[in-house]
Amino acid sequence: SRHNHTAHEAWANLTPRPLPWPLVLNDGTFTPIIPIPVRPPWRRAMTPAQLEEQEQDMFVKWTEAIFAQYPRASLNHFEHNLEVWRQLWRAVERSDIAVFILDARLPFFHFQQAMWDYVTKEMGRDAIICINKADLVHPHLVHLWIKYFKKHFPGVPVVAFYVPKSTNRGVGQPCVKDFLEAVAACWVTRGGVRLPASE
């Protein structure tokens, strides 16, 4: 189809090309206003009730501190459901590598610096930045976003990705190969020892 042809053509030419309009990409930094809630320290000997109470107390103090510092009218929407954060904490704890999936049409909207800091610094996980739906924007824009994130997050794999409409599910596509290579380039922790994910 014409769509598939356009997608393959875009991927094959993922190099700087002239844009049909001027573009200015600000070279700024991320400044999160509100940090995400961090799971309080816990011990395996604690009962489920003790864990739940400890996390609930922490979450109440976190929300109270936010509303005490910032007028509610000045705040954007953020997650108030503790259960969502609990799922996030446990998912990260059980994960080896984190993948931050950003929509190529507006990557900043899907990138949360506080979450990045929690996953990579607080939890010590390697991460991959995946710019998804790369076939929906101009290849030059995709290249600029890859360049931008690589500059601000040196050493972090940044890959473009899209799912082609084909019967083979895109297994042989270059973007799949790039993503698997990004995973293999990461490191995981086994028994307190850092090891290449490829092993």
Side-chain angles (χ1 to χ4, degrees), residues 101-111 131-133 137 145 149:
I101 301 177
L102 316 180
D103 192 311
R105 293 168 291 185
L106 190 59
F108 276 158
F109 185 78
H110 300 92
F111 186 85
I131 301 178
N132 195 28
K133 301 182 180 179
V137 300
W145 281 118
F149 282 105

Side-chain angles (χ1 to χ4, degrees), residues 78-96:
F78 64 96
E79 185 57 64
H80 291 75
N81 188 344
L82 174 57
E83 292 306 317
V84 173
W85 293 109
R86 281 174 168 154
Q87 292 178 30
L88 172 68
W89 295 334
R90 286 152 178 76
V92 175
E93 288 174 357
R94 297 170 181 172
S95 300
D96 292 317

Side-chain angles (χ1 to χ4, degrees), residues 43-61:
R43 305 181 308 278
R44 294 187 181 278
M46 298 175 70
T47 65
Q50 289 174 325
L51 283 172
E52 183 174 343
E53 181 179 2
Q54 177 177 264
E55 292 170 357
Q56 180 67 41
D57 290 343
M58 180 280 303
F59 192 71
V60 170
K61 293 178 180 177

Side-chain angles (χ1 to χ4, degrees), residues 4 164-171:
N4 285 339
K165 294 182 179 180
S166 61
T167 56
N168 64 3
R169 298 182 181 180
V171 175

Side-chain angles (χ1 to χ4, degrees), residues 16-35:
R17 300 193 319 189
L19 280 172
W21 62 88
L23 173 73
V24 178
L25 183 60
N26 292 329
D27 191 17
T29 57
F30 301 104
T31 54
I33 297 177
I34 302 174

Side-chain angles (χ1 to χ4, degrees), residues 8-198:
H8 291 305
E9 181 185 56
W11 184 263
N13 295 282
L14 192 57
T15 55
R17 300 193 319 189
L19 280 172
W21 62 88
L23 173 73
V24 178
L25 183 60
N26 292 329
D27 191 17
T29 57
F30 301 104
T31 54
I33 297 177
I34 302 174
I36 70 170
V38 177
R39 187 182 186 187
W42 58 281
R43 305 181 308 278
R44 294 187 181 278
M46 298 175 70
T47 65
Q50 289 174 325
L51 283 172
E52 183 174 343
E53 181 179 2
Q54 177 177 264
E55 292 170 357
Q56 180 67 41
D57 290 343
M58 180 280 303
F59 192 71
V60 170
K61 293 178 180 177
W62 177 74
T63 53
E64 289 178 345
I66 291 173
F67 293 133
Q69 185 175 359
Y70 304 100
R72 291 182 181 239
S74 68
L75 292 170
N76 203 340
H77 298 291
F78 64 96
E79 185 57 64
H80 291 75
N81 188 344
L82 174 57
E83 292 306 317
V84 173
W85 293 109
R86 281 174 168 154
Q87 292 178 30
L88 172 68
W89 295 334
R90 286 152 178 76
V92 175
E93 288 174 357
R94 297 170 181 172
S95 300
D96 292 317
I97 300 168
V99 180
F100 284 71
I101 301 177
L102 316 180
D103 192 311
R105 293 168 291 185
L106 190 59
F108 276 158
F109 185 78
H110 300 92
F111 186 85
Q112 222 281 344
Q113 179 70 43
M115 182 69 69
W116 176 271
D117 291 342
Y118 170 71
V119 171
T120 60
K121 297 178 181 178
E122 182 77 19
M123 299 303 296
R125 300 294 191 269
D126 274 14
I128 298 168
I129 295 176
C130 179
I131 301 178
N132 195 28
K133 301 182 180 179
D135 58 325
L136 299 183
V137 300
H138 195 283
H140 188 71
L141 286 175
V142 179
H143 173 82
L144 288 177
W145 281 118
I146 291 175
K147 182 178 179 181
Y148 180 90
F149 282 105
K150 283 186 174 182
K151 176 181 178 180
H152 287 274
F153 302 93
V156 173
V158 182
V159 296
F161 197 87
Y162 72 92
V163 179
K165 294 182 179 180
S166 61
T167 56
N168 64 3
R169 298 182 181 180
V171 175
Q173 298 299 320
C175 59
V176 175
K177 179 176 179 290
D178 291 345
F179 181 79
L180 294 177
E181 289 178 352
V183 172
C186 292
W187 290 68
V188 298
T189 302
R190 293 286 184 271
V193 179
R194 294 271 290 172
L195 300 170
S198 58

